[in-house]
Amino acid sequence: MAEFTMELSDEQKEVRDWLHGFAADVIRPAAAEWDEREETPWPVIQEAAKVGIYSLDFYAQQYFDSTGLGIPMAMEELFWGDAGIALSIVGTGLAAVGVLANGTEEQIGTWIPQMYGDANDVKVAAFCSSEPDAGSDVASMRTRAVYDEAKDEWVLNGTKTWATNGGIANVHVVVAVVDAELGSKGHASFIVPPDTPGLSQGQKFKKHGIRASHTAEVILDNVRVPGSCLLGGKEKLDARLARAREKARKGGERVKNAAMATFEASRPAVGAMAVGTARAAYEVALEYAQTREQFGRPIIDNQGVAFQLADMRTSIDAARLLVWRASWMAINGKPFTAAEGSMSKLFASETAKKVTAQAIQILGGNGYTREYPVERMHRDSAIYTIFEGTSEIQRLVIARTLAGMPIR
């Protein structure tokens, strides 16, 4: 087990500086354009692929970093550049985590490379869990997967929504109900391979923020996938469902479902994204306060501005520490006995919203215009308190964990 430390190794610092350089030189100059276009920034993703950032190898190196700090460090630097473009670069990672968390070694080796493609033929992947009537309430999921034993195929029907890369992905990972009586415990995850008949893109959403990231509905109309596309395999699924039914008869002990496993693994990473956006806005505000003069002196000399900046920096550092702690615990197999993963996402998400709003206030009228990036950062920050579990859901998870109650 790696010791928890706040000091990055020389190798980690090199990676951090490399990522920061890419974010500063490639992502930031393109941010305003792709935000206005509201389109996937394929040229930027391809540049990331060429230098090795958008690749299975890079993602795996950071994901399996024994300190747990590889992924949060990477997320913070890329999202410091721009949240919308960064999400287009890392959005595939959520689908990859879904396979890593639930798949067999063969499935991991087969499908994750196809999610990324290569520098000459870039691909993306999508994780499809939310539905029009089942966002935070995963037990209300309606997408069904029925096993056709004669053909050893699963037949998927339903509609997914809010899917990053939905419809444009090469590989879709879809969470579906296999046993409705078990509620959220009766869910399983499936790979939908490229060009599978019956899968189509529905509505593409025009969003308040992260507009360079493609978000859309995914329609599943009698989508047939081979039995080998059930993540973890049927034997493992049957055993898990049997345990869930038995525990339900004995009083309903908690059983993890496939989507929950994915979100638990990714929440600290989302917290790191929020830290990156908050830090970016803070740095813009700090520089502005040091150079903007009113009444013959820089506005940072005014206590009202200086104290805001002090609170902003304190909150950012606190959020990063919570994210790093949760990430270290996760990689070292330490259970989240106090919902530390949810804590990190909750605090970092709320910090990003608050800090970006304070940055606009410090910049005054300039901050409210698109001539300065804090306006975009504030719009982008709103998503952190919504996706992969709203702030209200994080508080519910934390409260129920502390009370020793099951999380449904």
Side-chain angles (χ1 to χ4, degrees):
M1 179 187 299
E3 293 185 2
F4 179 71
T5 176
M6 293 181 289
E7 180 66 28
L8 297 177
S9 67
D10 289 341
E11 182 179 354
Q12 288 172 322
K13 289 177 182 177
E14 287 181 9
V15 173
R16 179 198 62 192
D17 294 345
W18 172 54
L19 290 169
H20 186 80
F22 183 84
D25 298 339
V26 181
I27 294 178
R28 278 214 171 167
E33 175 189 351
W34 291 99
D35 177 70
E36 291 289 344
R37 291 175 64 168
E38 299 191 52
E39 297 175 357
T40 301
W42 291 108
V44 183
I45 299 174
Q46 189 166 30
E47 285 300 311
K50 285 179 180 178
V51 300
I53 293 173
Y54 186 77
S55 70
L56 172 60
D57 287 345
F58 175 75
Y59 189 83
Q61 287 172 10
Q62 304 315 310
Y63 186 84
F64 292 110
D65 181 340
S66 62
T67 68
L69 302 185
I71 288 294
M73 178 188 65
M75 295 299 109
E76 179 176 339
E77 293 305 327
L78 292 173
F79 280 73
W80 172 89
D82 176 69
I85 292 178
L87 189 57
S88 289
I89 294 173
V90 307
T92 293
L94 185 57
V97 167
V99 176
L100 285 168
N102 303 295
T104 64
E105 289 187 9
E106 182 178 358
Q107 289 169 332
I108 292 170
T110 298
W111 295 111
I112 294 184
Q114 294 187 50
M115 293 179 174
Y116 288 91
D118 57 47
N120 297 316
D121 186 20
V122 171
K123 306 292 186 183
V124 295
F127 183 76
C128 307
S129 178
S130 294
E131 297 184 3
D133 296 318
S136 299
D137 183 10
V138 294
S140 297
M141 189 176 293
R142 295 180 179 178
T143 297
R144 296 292 189 263
V146 178
Y147 185 56
D148 183 343
E149 189 170 358
K151 295 184 178 181
D152 185 27
E153 292 180 340
W154 288 90
V155 184
L156 280 62
N157 282 283
T159 299
K160 294 296 182 178
T161 194
W162 311 123
T164 299
N165 298 329
I168 66 171
N170 193 50
V171 176
H172 291 76
V173 177
V174 177
V175 182
V177 177
V178 295
D179 188 330
E181 293 183 359
L182 292 175
S184 62
K185 302 181 183 74
H187 295 176
S189 291
F190 299 85
I191 292 286
V192 180
D195 303 318
T196 298
L199 184 146
S200 62
Q201 179 183 310
Q203 175 186 6
K204 178 187 175 182
F205 296 103
K206 296 181 72 66
K207 305 188 299 295
H208 175 65
I210 55 166
R211 301 197 305 194
S213 174
H214 176 96
T215 309
E217 291 181 328
V218 174
I219 311 300
L220 302 150
D221 183 10
N222 287 322
V223 171
R224 285 183 169 268
V225 299
S228 59
C229 287
L230 167 63
L231 288 181
K234 194 166 187 306
E235 183 177 342
K236 182 178 179 181
L237 172 65
D238 289 342
R240 178 168 63 82
L241 295 177
R243 290 195 303 270
R245 294 184 189 108
E246 180 63 23
K247 289 177 179 179
R249 285 194 290 269
K250 292 181 178 181
E253 296 179 39
R254 180 173 60 183
V255 178
K256 281 185 182 177
N257 62 66
M260 188 66 73
T262 299
F263 289 136
E264 285 182 358
S266 63
R267 277 173 178 157
V270 176
M273 298 173 189
V275 171
T277 300
R279 189 183 113 212
Y282 159 76
E283 290 176 1
V284 172
L286 176 62
E287 181 180 5
Y288 187 88
Q290 292 171 327
T291 57
R292 172 70 167 175
E293 291 191 2
Q294 290 285 282
F295 305 106
R297 59 180 182 174
I299 62 173
I300 199 171
D301 288 352
N302 296 312
Q303 191 177 82
V305 173
F307 278 16
Q308 281 194 76
L309 289 163
D311 287 344
M312 292 159 75
R313 176 60 186 267
T314 300
S315 295
I316 291 167
D317 281 13
R320 183 185 297 110
L321 288 173
L322 285 171
V323 167
W324 282 20
R325 180 185 69 169
S327 301
W328 174 82
M329 291 176 67
I331 200 68
N332 286 286
K334 287 186 169 292
F336 289 163
T337 55
E340 289 86 351
S342 290
M343 281 186 186
S344 69
K345 180 185 181 297
L346 170 65
F347 190 81
S349 298
E350 296 293 339
T351 292
K353 282 188 69 175
K354 183 177 180 180
V355 166
T356 54
Q358 288 175 307
I360 290 176
Q361 192 67 25
I362 289 172
L363 269 67
N366 286 327
Y368 199 65
T369 72
R370 295 190 183 182
E371 296 299 314
Y372 287 80
V374 291
E375 175 272 339
R376 184 180 67 253
M377 293 169 182
H378 184 51
R379 286 189 286 108
D380 291 341
S381 70
I383 194 60
Y384 301 126
T385 65
I386 297 172
F387 71 176
E388 293 197 48
T390 64
S391 288
E392 291 74 21
I393 288 296
Q394 304 310 319
R395 291 184 175 98
L396 178 64
V397 169
I398 295 166
R400 293 182 74 89
T401 300
L402 296 178
M405 301 172 67
I407 301 171
R408 298 180 174 88

